[in-house]
Amino acid sequence: MTETTDLGTPPPGHLSEGLDARLVVDRGAFRLDVTLAAAPGDVVALLGPNGAGKTTALRALSGLIPLTSGHLLLDGTRLDGTAPESRPVGVVFQDYLLFPHLTALDNVAFGPRCRGAGKAEARAQATEWLDRMGLADHAGAKPRRLSGGQAQRVALARALATRPRLLLLDEPLAALDARTRLEVRAQLRRHLAEFEAVAVLVTHDPLDAMVLADRLVVVEDGRVVQEGTPSDIARHPRTDYIARLVGLNLYKGRAEGHTVRLDTGPGITTTEELSGPVFVAFPPGAVTLYRDRPTGSSARNLWHCEVAGLETHGDQIRADLTGELPLTADLTTVAAAELDLHPGAPVWAAVKATQTHAYPA
Amino acid sequence: MTDTLESRPRRDRHRGRSRVVPIPLLAPALIGLAFLLLPLIALLVRAPWRSLPEQLTSAEVWEALRLSLVCATAATGLSLVVGVPLAWLLARTCFPGRGFVRALVTLPLVLPPVVGGVALLLAFGRNGVVGQWLDSWFGITLPFTTTGVILAETFVAMPFLVISVEGTLRAADPRYEEAATTLGASRFTAFRRVTLPLIAPGVAAGAVLAWARALGEFGATITFAGNFPGRTQTMPLAVYLALQNDPAAAIALSLVLLAVSIAVLAALRDRWMTAS
């Protein structure tokens, strides 16, 4: 799957179309330094934990905060010295920030009006955008009368109405409850697919990122730690944060044939034959737990561990283990009861080599 | 069930409020309340109700009332024009000495108005720092004119407006201005089309407050603008003058000002009287 990343990052300054940016922002002890490149039509998701600098990156792209250094090119034009109101950039804010004193229609007409359209012309454009979002019936409604999903679409229409060459979305689904989220996610995916210029969205939700974006850029502590297609990142996580997001146990070590010696801890037997620094990953469901050391097990990987914590995870029990190898294991409620699992209980954890996946670090 | 559900918010609102009040707190509290109320009651008791209609329809009263309303309204307008931008500057920008500027703006709140009047004379008087140039270049004289009254009232009332609007601005989400900016609005357009409508209630409250303060202004007005009936004699000045030779007229005029004050309080009740 790594082959899909190769449309990735051409050298800076060589894109005449789309986005080409290196964003460096110093904020006291925090430093953001990320490189972003995208062609028109691309949807890029900045994924990362809270405080990673995602929103800072978005604000730098929109011009709301200045770059400390780096560059920002959009369709071959330098934007880093341009005031935010003069950038061809549209923003959908996390809580939408629809102007509460204006109707949905006037919210959408605000942008065209500021960019020089006459009142009637701006309203005509706004009507068309609301139509396209399926909101024609709510044109006269004030934002507080709109549902979360409707407000989100008005915010999207408002951002698109200025015909931006770069669309930024800050946690576009975070303000919605679980049920509307599903529906709005699908709609947003459709609208983003229709959008002909570059879209960059920021999220801490891996599902949103994977559904909405063609390419993920994972940011931690102000730096890009991994980028690639959603499936590539889901299969080959390179940091603990991503591994947790996609629900994998992840270890770093050095491969010698079928064995991976971990930097700390025991070895893991894998089916891949590699050498040099590698990652090994396996899903929590691949782990089998035993109370006593199994004798007849064909599993090549067997570790002595201790239960650190238990929690329900869907219809299963998720066990956090410490000991020889810290790992997460999923098991059925029945199995957990039969094993009499409780924090502090000693267990044996087995993983078949075929269930592990090793890839070069 | 409905009963308990209904009473819940009420109970929440009164949380921490005791029904049992210790005497050492109750007695002074009642004295304080009486002290505030008694003068007002006295005003009502001693009011010359029978002769009131003719008192209030005399030409001097109308002259003073008209002048008061005109000047207070003009002072409020002037305060709005310069006070709202000043409040925006204090709330939304960062410049060296901002805290100092803010303190200066609020100074007239605590400054004795007479001192304000003296200071205005020194600035805009015929021989004042600015006034001498106004006089010799443009032939403009400010002290002892109706314009002088408006200036004196503005000086005293504007801080109320600035403080009120600044507080509202601080409470308002500045990100709406950012959103407007990303839509192509200049900072001024963002202020005019987004921020101003959002803070309108705060501006209105500040304006009412400033208007009430201007209406009651005495010290700075009499010092800077004098006491000429029809030109600079506003209601408070008329009350003061009447008290010396026609107490009944003074009471009648006071009643009018009291009525205006109560009206102002009623207008602001949602903002202030419901404060927890």
Side-chain angles (χ1 to χ4, degrees), chain A residues 39-357:
Chain A
D42 278 1
V43 181
V44 179
L46 286 179
L47 180 66
N50 287 331
K54 312 182 297 282
T55 298
T56 305
L58 222 56
R59 290 174 64 82
L61 285 170
S62 61
L64 292 172
I65 51 172
L67 291 182
T68 308
S69 67
H71 63 269
L72 172 53
L73 283 160
L74 189 62
D75 296 336
T77 312
R78 269 196 97 106
L79 284 187
D80 29 308
T82 311
E85 62 263 33
S86 310
R87 296 189 185 194
V89 176
V91 187
V92 176
F93 290 88
Q94 180 169 359
D95 31 13
Y96 316 138
L97 297 177
L98 294 176
F99 305 131
H101 60 290
L102 298 180
T103 61
L105 184 74
D106 286 332
N107 262 283
V108 180
F110 190 94
R113 193 95 175 78
C114 287
R115 303 209 186 232
K119 200 164 193 172
E121 167 65 17
R123 291 188 137 220
Q125 287 181 23
T127 307
E128 201 187 311
W129 277 107
L130 286 178
D131 248 358
R132 207 184 285 190
M133 297 288 163
L135 285 167
D137 296 343
H138 297 86
K142 291 277 177 70
R144 69 185 134 81
R145 305 285 302 268
L146 298 171
S147 72
Q150 289 164 349
Q152 205 263 358
R153 277 180 285 159
V154 174
L156 184 62
R158 186 176 70 169
L160 289 173
T162 60
R163 308 207 165 269
R165 296 300 301 159
L166 173 63
L167 178 67
L168 306 173
L169 304 105
D170 191 0
E171 301 278 3
L173 302 168
L176 302 170
D177 60 74
R179 201 189 306 172
T180 33
R181 205 171 171 144
L182 203 67
E183 189 190 320
V184 174
R185 192 190 285 130
Q187 288 167 350
L188 184 59
R189 181 186 158 86
R190 212 176 60 236
H191 291 303
L192 287 179
E194 284 170 15
F195 184 58
E196 72 282 5
V198 179
V200 175
L201 67 98
V202 147
T203 180
H204 67 274
D205 184 324
L207 185 57
D208 290 348
M210 290 181 185
V211 170
L212 297 173
D214 317 313
R215 198 150 53 81
L216 307 190
V217 175
V218 185
V219 181
E220 284 178 52
D221 287 328
R223 315 199 151 265
V224 176
V225 291
Q226 190 172 358
E227 55 181 306
T229 61
S231 62
D232 178 29
I233 285 186
R235 291 167 52 125
H236 303 108
R238 303 183 84 85
T239 72
D240 286 339
Y241 164 74
I242 309 170
R244 258 199 319 279
L245 279 186
V246 299
L248 289 176
N249 289 298
L250 178 72
Y251 307 95
K252 198 173 179 186
R254 181 165 278 281
E256 291 154 20
H258 289 291
T259 306
V260 177
R261 291 265 146 240
L262 300 190
D263 299 345
T264 55
I268 300 178
T269 306
T270 64
T271 46
E272 288 91 351
E273 198 171 347
L274 296 161
S275 67
V278 291
F279 287 108
V280 191
F282 57 84
V287 183
T288 316
L289 296 185
Y290 303 92
R291 205 56 200 270
D292 302 307
R293 188 183 180 110
T295 44
S297 171
S298 61
R300 304 289 301 273
N301 296 306
L302 189 65
W303 305 292
H304 193 218
C305 299
E306 187 177 285
V307 178
L310 294 164
E311 59 184 54
T312 52
H313 187 79
D315 58 351
Q316 295 205 305
I317 302 286
R318 173 155 285 191
D320 273 319
L321 308 181
T322 57
E324 230 181 320
L325 188 72
L327 55 84
T328 309
D330 281 350
L331 62 167
T332 63
T333 321
V334 176
E338 280 174 356
L339 286 168
D340 185 26
L341 289 190
H342 53 83
V347 287
W348 289 90
V351 177
K352 289 181 178 159
T354 51
Q355 300 262 40
T356 67
H357 179 39

Side-chain angles (χ1 to χ4, degrees), chain B residues 120-275:
Chain B
L120 281 168
L121 267 181
L122 295 180
F124 301 108
R126 209 173 278 232
N127 298 315
V129 177
V130 181
Q132 55 180 326
W133 303 114
L134 285 177
D135 191 42
S136 62
W137 289 0
F138 307 106
I140 296 173
T141 315
L142 292 173
F144 310 111
T145 62
T146 306
T147 315
V149 176
I150 296 170
L151 283 187
E153 290 183 355
T154 306
F155 181 80
V156 176
M158 192 167 69
F160 285 87
L161 180 97
V162 174
I163 295 302
S164 173
V165 174
E166 195 208 345
T168 314
L169 270 171
R170 283 190 186 281
D173 195 337
R175 294 179 311 145
Y176 285 112
E177 283 179 32
E178 292 186 349
T181 305
T182 65
L183 292 167
S186 68
R187 234 177 154 184
F188 179 64
T189 307
F191 172 77
R192 192 172 51 84
R193 290 203 51 207
V194 175
T195 312
L196 208 49
L198 287 178
I199 61 164
V203 174
V208 171
L209 209 58
W211 187 80
R213 181 67 187 86
L215 194 70
E217 219 301 301
F218 180 86
T221 310
I222 203 165
T223 315
F224 183 59
N227 187 12
F228 305 109
R231 198 139 56 91
T232 70
Q233 190 184 76
T234 55
M235 286 287 275
L237 272 56
V239 171
Y240 181 72
L241 202 70
L243 199 57
Q244 311 192 342
N245 39 36
D246 184 5
I251 298 170
L253 289 168
S254 298
L255 277 177
V256 174
L257 286 179
L258 178 65
V260 171
S261 305
I262 289 172
V264 166
L265 212 56
L268 287 176
R269 70 188 183 284
D270 287 337
R271 256 183 111 69
W272 285 12
M273 307 220 339
T274 55

